Amino acid sequence: MSNNDTLGNARIAILGYGSQGRAHALNLRDSGLDVVVGLRKGGPSWEKASAEGFKVAEPGEAVKGADLVAVLTPDMVQADVYTQSIEPNIKPGAALLFAHGFNVHFKRIDPRKDIDVILVAPKGPGALVRTEYERGRGVPSIWAVYQDVSGQAEAKAHAYANGIGGGRAMLIKTDFKEETETDLFGEQAVLCGGASSLVQAGFETLVEAGYQPEIAYYEVLHELKLIVDLFYEGGITKMLQFVSETAQYGDYVSGPRVIDAGVKARMKDVLTDIQNGTFARNWIAEHEAGLPNYNKFKKADLEHPIEVVGAKLRARMPWLQPETAKQAG
């Protein structure tokens, strides 16, 4: 990939070396860009990044002299990272980049007025961002400009997106508000909250009707992957092509009975709480209180009967084990 001159001679500081941080750092380096990784000394990520050949420094040191600082740490620590390590050290005219707009949009971070503030978010997990880059391809990415003091903020966002491989696929312009609110809504109403609650309710319905938990597990959780893969590969169109006519008819007549106008109305309530800041305020307060409700909710999910029976069944499916081990690592 030819480097964009905008970042060709720039130093890029990647703060965080998790799934996205590692992928971004490796891809940018392989694109010929100068990368330093900012991490707390002594942690496992420090050793991993060093072993993979990166210059590694404490976050504040990594920020000093950097032309672009990418914040790829978890949402709830970013405000402290900004206050302690970025704000005192980032040079005027440099760019501050996020992969999720939560902290800027909800005013947990008030960026200095003499820096560019941009967003680049690949629409895929870090492992995919890396493997697609290695194959000479890329993962579509969305980008945004929040603050442009250099006159080059858009060019910097594009250059960074190209550096991680996004330009090989597709770049979609957004803004911090749209990215943050749609991302939170998708997680809560469909991808995580909606899907897991739908699966649990389906399991409970079958078990309470007297069916075996093992059969219920396969019908409402295990086989969901088959449908989601079809969605992923070709949308609802491909799903309908590959399921039976009986399943199609059931989709048409029963889907709207379960996911009805009341569900959509409650989805709008969820979106309203995201838009007006209620969710963000509640989540920040929960985090600051030590996560008492979060831990209670998580415990309930992990101890749900579908997880108990699922663990036993998955242990008898050896084809799942390599994937499980890979994700755990």
PDB file of all heavy atoms in Angstrom, residues 319-328:
ATOM      1  N   TRP A 319     -15.091 -29.495  17.620  1.00  0.00           N
ATOM      2  CA  TRP A 319     -14.790 -28.484  16.592  1.00  0.00           C
ATOM      3  C   TRP A 319     -14.880 -27.066  17.140  1.00  0.00           C
ATOM      4  O   TRP A 319     -14.376 -26.129  16.534  1.00  0.00           O
ATOM      5  CB  TRP A 319     -15.731 -28.643  15.396  1.00  0.00           C
ATOM      6  CG  TRP A 319     -17.189 -28.460  15.727  1.00  0.00           C
ATOM      7  CD1 TRP A 319     -17.886 -27.291  15.711  1.00  0.00           C
ATOM      8  CD2 TRP A 319     -18.109 -29.475  16.129  1.00  0.00           C
ATOM      9  NE1 TRP A 319     -19.201 -27.525  16.071  1.00  0.00           N
ATOM     10  CE2 TRP A 319     -19.373 -28.846  16.344  1.00  0.00           C
ATOM     11  CE3 TRP A 319     -18.005 -30.857  16.317  1.00  0.00           C
ATOM     12  CZ2 TRP A 319     -20.502 -29.554  16.723  1.00  0.00           C
ATOM     13  CZ3 TRP A 319     -19.137 -31.558  16.699  1.00  0.00           C
ATOM     14  CH2 TRP A 319     -20.367 -30.919  16.915  1.00  0.00           C
ATOM     15  N   LEU A 320     -15.512 -26.900  18.294  1.00  0.00           N
ATOM     16  CA  LEU A 320     -15.590 -25.581  18.908  1.00  0.00           C
ATOM     17  C   LEU A 320     -14.338 -25.248  19.714  1.00  0.00           C
ATOM     18  O   LEU A 320     -14.051 -24.080  19.955  1.00  0.00           O
ATOM     19  CB  LEU A 320     -16.804 -25.490  19.842  1.00  0.00           C
ATOM     20  CG  LEU A 320     -18.185 -25.617  19.200  1.00  0.00           C
ATOM     21  CD1 LEU A 320     -19.263 -25.549  20.265  1.00  0.00           C
ATOM     22  CD2 LEU A 320     -18.386 -24.516  18.170  1.00  0.00           C
ATOM     23  N   GLN A 321     -13.606 -26.238  20.158  1.00  0.00           N
ATOM     24  CA  GLN A 321     -12.525 -26.001  21.107  1.00  0.00           C
ATOM     25  C   GLN A 321     -11.378 -25.138  20.552  1.00  0.00           C
ATOM     26  O   GLN A 321     -10.924 -24.244  21.252  1.00  0.00           O
ATOM     27  CB  GLN A 321     -11.973 -27.323  21.645  1.00  0.00           C
ATOM     28  CG  GLN A 321     -13.045 -28.241  22.272  1.00  0.00           C
ATOM     29  CD  GLN A 321     -14.018 -27.508  23.182  1.00  0.00           C
ATOM     30  OE1 GLN A 321     -13.617 -26.740  24.046  1.00  0.00           O
ATOM     31  NE2 GLN A 321     -15.327 -27.707  22.960  1.00  0.00           N
ATOM     32  N   PRO A 322     -10.907 -25.357  19.315  1.00  0.00           N
ATOM     33  CA  PRO A 322      -9.826 -24.475  18.827  1.00  0.00           C
ATOM     34  C   PRO A 322     -10.239 -23.010  18.793  1.00  0.00           C
ATOM     35  O   PRO A 322      -9.464 -22.135  19.156  1.00  0.00           O
ATOM     36  CB  PRO A 322      -9.556 -25.011  17.409  1.00  0.00           C
ATOM     37  CG  PRO A 322     -10.040 -26.427  17.441  1.00  0.00           C
ATOM     38  CD  PRO A 322     -11.217 -26.419  18.376  1.00  0.00           C
ATOM     39  N   GLU A 323     -11.477 -22.739  18.387  1.00  0.00           N
ATOM     40  CA  GLU A 323     -11.960 -21.364  18.339  1.00  0.00           C
ATOM     41  C   GLU A 323     -12.030 -20.777  19.729  1.00  0.00           C
ATOM     42  O   GLU A 323     -11.637 -19.639  19.977  1.00  0.00           O
ATOM     43  CB  GLU A 323     -13.332 -21.306  17.669  1.00  0.00           C
ATOM     44  CG  GLU A 323     -13.877 -19.890  17.466  1.00  0.00           C
ATOM     45  CD  GLU A 323     -13.072 -19.104  16.455  1.00  0.00           C
ATOM     46  OE1 GLU A 323     -12.351 -19.710  15.641  1.00  0.00           O
ATOM     47  OE2 GLU A 323     -13.117 -17.860  16.495  1.00  0.00           O
ATOM     48  N   THR A 324     -12.520 -21.582  20.691  1.00  0.00           N
ATOM     49  CA  THR A 324     -12.608 -21.108  22.066  1.00  0.00           C
ATOM     50  C   THR A 324     -11.220 -20.785  22.600  1.00  0.00           C
ATOM     51  O   THR A 324     -11.008 -19.756  23.224  1.00  0.00           O
ATOM     52  CB  THR A 324     -13.270 -22.177  22.963  1.00  0.00           C
ATOM     53  OG1 THR A 324     -14.555 -22.487  22.425  1.00  0.00           O
ATOM     54  CG2 THR A 324     -13.428 -21.682  24.388  1.00  0.00           C
ATOM     55  N   ALA A 325     -10.277 -21.667  22.332  1.00  0.00           N
ATOM     56  CA  ALA A 325      -8.916 -21.443  22.815  1.00  0.00           C
ATOM     57  C   ALA A 325      -8.309 -20.199  22.173  1.00  0.00           C
ATOM     58  O   ALA A 325      -7.630 -19.419  22.839  1.00  0.00           O
ATOM     59  CB  ALA A 325      -8.048 -22.669  22.513  1.00  0.00           C
ATOM     60  N   LYS A 326      -8.589 -20.008  20.887  1.00  0.00           N
ATOM     61  CA  LYS A 326      -8.037 -18.847  20.184  1.00  0.00           C
ATOM     62  C   LYS A 326      -8.575 -17.550  20.775  1.00  0.00           C
ATOM     63  O   LYS A 326      -7.852 -16.596  21.012  1.00  0.00           O
ATOM     64  CB  LYS A 326      -8.376 -18.937  18.701  1.00  0.00           C
ATOM     65  CG  LYS A 326      -7.783 -17.823  17.866  1.00  0.00           C
ATOM     66  CD  LYS A 326      -7.941 -18.085  16.377  1.00  0.00           C
ATOM     67  CE  LYS A 326      -9.375 -18.053  15.935  1.00  0.00           C
ATOM     68  NZ  LYS A 326      -9.524 -18.262  14.495  1.00  0.00           N
ATOM     69  N   GLN A 327      -9.888 -17.505  21.054  1.00  0.00           N
ATOM     70  CA  GLN A 327     -10.488 -16.298  21.615  1.00  0.00           C
ATOM     71  C   GLN A 327      -9.961 -16.052  23.021  1.00  0.00           C
ATOM     72  O   GLN A 327      -9.727 -14.913  23.409  1.00  0.00           O
ATOM     73  CB  GLN A 327     -11.999 -16.440  21.630  1.00  0.00           C
ATOM     74  CG  GLN A 327     -12.616 -16.397  20.245  1.00  0.00           C
ATOM     75  CD  GLN A 327     -14.094 -16.693  20.258  1.00  0.00           C
ATOM     76  OE1 GLN A 327     -14.676 -17.045  21.274  1.00  0.00           O
ATOM     77  NE2 GLN A 327     -14.724 -16.567  19.110  1.00  0.00           N
ATOM     78  N   ALA A 328      -9.767 -17.127  23.782  1.00  0.00           N
ATOM     79  CA  ALA A 328      -9.278 -16.953  25.143  1.00  0.00           C
ATOM     80  C   ALA A 328      -7.864 -16.408  25.152  1.00  0.00           C
ATOM     81  O   ALA A 328      -7.472 -15.683  26.040  1.00  0.00           O
ATOM     82  CB  ALA A 328      -9.326 -18.284  25.886  1.00  0.00           C
TER      83      ALA A 328
END
